[in-house]
Amino acid sequence: MEYTAKSNKIETLVSRCLVVAVYAGKKAKLGASAALLDRQADGAIKALVSKGDINGDPGTTLMMYDPPGVRAERILLVGLGKQSEVDATVLRKAAAAVARVAEAASLRSIDIALFDRRHGRLDTRRMVRHVVEAVDAALYRYEETKSGRAKPSHLKNAAVLVERAELAAARKGVREGEATASGVSLARELGNLPGNICTPSYLARKARAMQKDLPIKTRVLSEEDMKKLKMGSLLSVSRGSREPAKLIVMEYRGGDKGDAPVVLVGKGLTFDAGGISIKPAAAMDEMKFDMCGGASVFGALQAVAELELPINVVGVVPSSENLPDGAANKPGDIVTSMAGKTIEILNTDAEGRLILCDALTYVARFKPDVVVDMATLTGACVIALGNHASGLFSNDDKLAAELLEAGDEAGDRAWRLPMWDDYTRQLKSNFADLANIGGRNAGAVTAACFLQEFAKDYRWAHLDIAGTAWNSGGDKGATGRPVPLLMEFLINRAG
Ligand code: BES
Ligand code: MN
Ligand code: ZN
């Protein structure tokens, strides 16, 4: 798929399909590009819209064939909702709808002229980024483990049309959008792979392969290495499985030598059966997605390296399975973490925090500016926020604000939850320094409080992506979230 930015006049543009906006109102209203074409077409577009087949709600579409007076073969009207309320989410929804219509019509190319107004706080660069990312995501198909030959999409070219003065910004948006979109696709692909293929060793191989094409240095720590580092908590989880754990470290150094890196840590649980505290059978297959935090680290690192951002980023993915076995953790077992803290494992299904805590201790050696971890950590977070926002937790208000804003701008929202000491007290154990669960109440918060105990030496944030990393039901599959949030955050940091 190729994305380009151009500034041709739309009235005279030769196009298979020219995409323009309509806004919702009492009656649908033509956007600037649509109005321009309408004048050229002697009011034919307005006449069509006034028949009421499109109301302008976000993502509604109406195809018009052989419009009079213009060179385009088709005009695709797409709703952007109320003009004053256009935001990242609306734009992405509309662009995804456009891609689906174009694909269903077997179109090879489309020209998108949706940028006729500055929509609220969205600048051209971001608008273009959203469109590229959303079109690309709509065309993604999982094929890897299907025996039929993969069918490539019909759509090969998408051009965004902007005013000449905005061309440079649009080109930047295309580049950032493409890189982010590939990062999202990578995260989705890794997430969708089944647990018998995507093992910790598979992820390690994938990370090693990434350094061939990209300015990334990969190091993989074996269980032997982890033993030397005294990662007793991480290793206790992997003991219940035949697949050896891996601690994957990917370093991208695009900034100055002395620049403290952003460290991204992602939970890489390639299958979570719960261990001895085994999960119920229903939907257990979805626990192959328990490595989506790790997958987002892969996706973000690939995108950052592709864009050659002038910052330093280190990605760390602790990866293991969580299975019941004779050697598995048992409720009541006590393990000693790399930090020296002892942990009473009251529920072996709260394993994410057990592997993450040692990774969080490990990353202090990178003298990070900030550490952000991503984890499909708790069902409780899904109860709290549903599938719309990731849970955000942080020991630093500025970092939290930066991430929240990045999520808003990327259409990949997060919502902050509190971490008061009252919650940490729920983790008290009679037999160890900490228990690995804090009871049913506020489960997402107590999980974050557990992690915080191991993240005291740097500015840290945690994204609980249990509700956002994948879809269930007919639409089952990884979403690639929160790669868009992370990319917005990292691109902003790169200045
Ligand atoms: N990977 C799960 C969290 C999860 C569950 C994400 C369902 C999405 C959907 C995690 O390892 C887990 O099992 N957490 C437990 C914690 C509990 C035992 C305190 C949970 O959420 O039930
Ligand atoms: Mn679990
Ligand atoms: Zn898990």
Side-chain angles (χ1 to χ4, degrees):
M1 185 68 190
E2 200 179 290
Y3 300 92
T4 48
K6 49 192 198 191
S7 62
N8 305 44
K9 282 189 147 182
I10 58 173
E11 312 91 286
T12 53
L13 184 74
V14 177
S15 171
R16 291 317 258 314
C17 181
L18 184 51
V19 182
V20 296
V22 297
Y23 297 105
K26 271 210 197 90
K27 267 167 78 189
K29 215 173 89 209
L30 304 189
S33 297
L36 194 84
L37 294 174
D38 188 54
R39 280 195 289 280
Q40 205 71 21
D42 252 341
I45 302 177
K46 212 176 214 155
L48 176 67
V49 167
S50 70
K51 290 191 195 300
D53 293 22
I54 183 165
N55 65 8
D57 282 350
T60 52
T61 57
L62 183 63
M63 188 75 94
M64 183 180 183
Y65 299 94
D66 301 317
V70 300
R71 304 280 295 276
E73 280 175 31
R74 297 172 185 75
I75 291 177
L76 178 59
L77 303 169
V78 57
L80 287 186
K82 289 218 184 77
Q83 186 159 9
S84 57
E85 292 172 11
V86 176
D87 63 6
T89 309
V90 167
L91 205 55
R92 293 170 87 101
K93 192 168 175 183
V98 165
R100 280 193 297 270
V101 169
E103 189 56 26
S106 311
L107 294 177
R108 276 184 57 88
S109 64
I110 52 174
D111 296 288
I112 304 173
L114 288 176
F115 316 99
D116 45 28
R117 284 271 188 285
R118 282 177 176 265
H119 297 119
R121 290 173 51 246
L122 291 172
D123 49 77
T124 298
R125 195 177 112 212
R126 284 214 179 76
M127 287 197 282
V128 169
R129 211 151 90 196
H130 291 315
V131 167
V132 170
E133 288 176 35
V135 167
D136 213 74
L139 298 177
Y140 170 86
R141 296 280 173 280
Y142 176 81
E143 308 273 3
E144 192 56 33
T145 44
K146 295 183 180 175
S147 62
R149 200 158 355 115
K151 262 213 273 67
S153 59
H154 299 282
L155 198 58
K156 299 280 185 251
N157 290 287
V160 295
L161 284 144
V162 297
E163 285 165 29
R164 183 165 302 274
E166 302 286 305
L167 198 53
R171 294 221 161 105
K172 225 169 166 196
V174 166
R175 210 169 148 252
E176 292 169 351
E178 283 181 308
T180 305
S182 330
V184 166
S185 292
L186 172 60
R188 291 174 77 178
E189 193 66 15
L190 291 174
N192 288 335
L193 285 171
N196 61 329
I197 293 176
C198 185
T199 59
S201 301
Y202 178 93
L203 287 178
R205 280 199 298 280
K206 183 78 202 169
R208 281 201 202 90
M210 275 179 46
Q211 49 182 354
K212 293 211 184 83
D213 325 309
L214 292 165
I216 286 175
K217 273 217 202 80
T218 300
R219 224 185 119 208
V220 178
L221 276 64
S222 65
E223 291 195 341
E224 205 50 52
D225 300 326
M226 291 185 250
K227 233 171 258 157
K228 282 189 200 128
L229 290 165
K230 300 205 160 85
M231 295 187 168
S233 185
L234 197 168
L235 286 167
S236 79
V237 175
S238 125
R239 234 189 357 259
S241 140
R242 295 186 185 184
E243 290 290 338
K246 303 285 174 189
L247 186 78
I248 300 162
V249 183
M250 293 172 277
E251 286 191 61
Y252 166 79
R253 300 271 170 189
D256 287 338
K257 227 176 165 180
D259 290 353
V262 173
V263 177
L264 303 177
V265 179
K267 173 177 173 182
L269 230 296
T270 59
F271 190 77
D272 178 13
I276 297 298
S277 314
I278 197 162
K279 288 181 181 294
M284 205 208 268
D285 65 291
E286 295 187 9
M287 283 299 115
K288 74 173 182 178
F289 295 119
D290 212 15
M291 35 58 70
C292 283
S296 75
V297 173
F298 278 75
L301 247 94
Q302 178 184 278
V304 165
E306 248 175 60
L307 289 172
E308 297 179 324
L309 292 185
I311 49 173
N312 296 328
V313 184
V314 181
V316 174
V317 180
S319 185
S320 169
E321 291 182 328
N322 184 28
L323 293 176
D325 173 272
N329 282 325
K330 303 174 292 299
D333 282 2
I334 293 176
V335 298
T336 304
S337 63
M338 180 179 176
K341 281 188 205 298
T342 57
I343 303 165
E344 185 184 17
I345 301 172
L346 290 174
N347 189 318
T348 67
D349 198 10
E351 85 297 336
R353 59 199 83 180
L354 294 176
I355 69 168
L356 284 165
C357 70
D358 281 343
L360 289 172
T361 302
Y362 178 77
V363 301
R365 69 189 50 212
F366 297 110
K367 309 254 176 320
D369 181 25
V370 298
V371 177
V372 183
D373 80 66
M374 284 70 61
T376 47
L377 202 62
T378 66
C381 193
V382 192
I383 302 297
L385 298 173
N387 309 112
H388 309 295
S390 304
L392 172 69
F393 304 83
S394 183
N395 61 12
D396 186 90
D397 290 343
K398 202 168 144 261
L399 175 61
E402 225 176 305
L403 288 163
L404 284 177
E405 165 131 0
D408 280 347
E409 300 213 303
D412 181 9
R413 277 189 287 242
W415 191 256
R416 192 175 183 188
L417 294 168
M419 309 191 66
W420 299 303
D421 292 349
D422 310 68
Y423 295 107
T424 308
R425 268 180 241 122
Q426 288 181 226
L427 295 165
K428 265 173 88 175
S429 159
N430 285 352
F431 306 105
D433 300 340
L434 267 176
N436 80 326
I437 55 170
R440 259 173 63 81
N441 290 348
V445 180
T446 53
C449 289
F450 180 95
L451 296 180
Q452 182 176 234
E453 292 301 301
F454 300 86
K456 297 252 149 128
D457 297 336
Y458 42 72
R459 301 202 290 142
W460 158 83
H462 156 63
L463 286 163
D464 193 330
I465 57 169
T468 52
W470 75 89
N471 297 319
S472 308
D475 210 16
K476 197 192 289 180
T479 61
R481 290 178 73 181
V483 173
L485 179 157
L486 293 174
M487 288 313 295
E488 178 73 37
F489 173 72
L490 293 168
I491 289 170
N492 291 346
R493 283 196 144 233

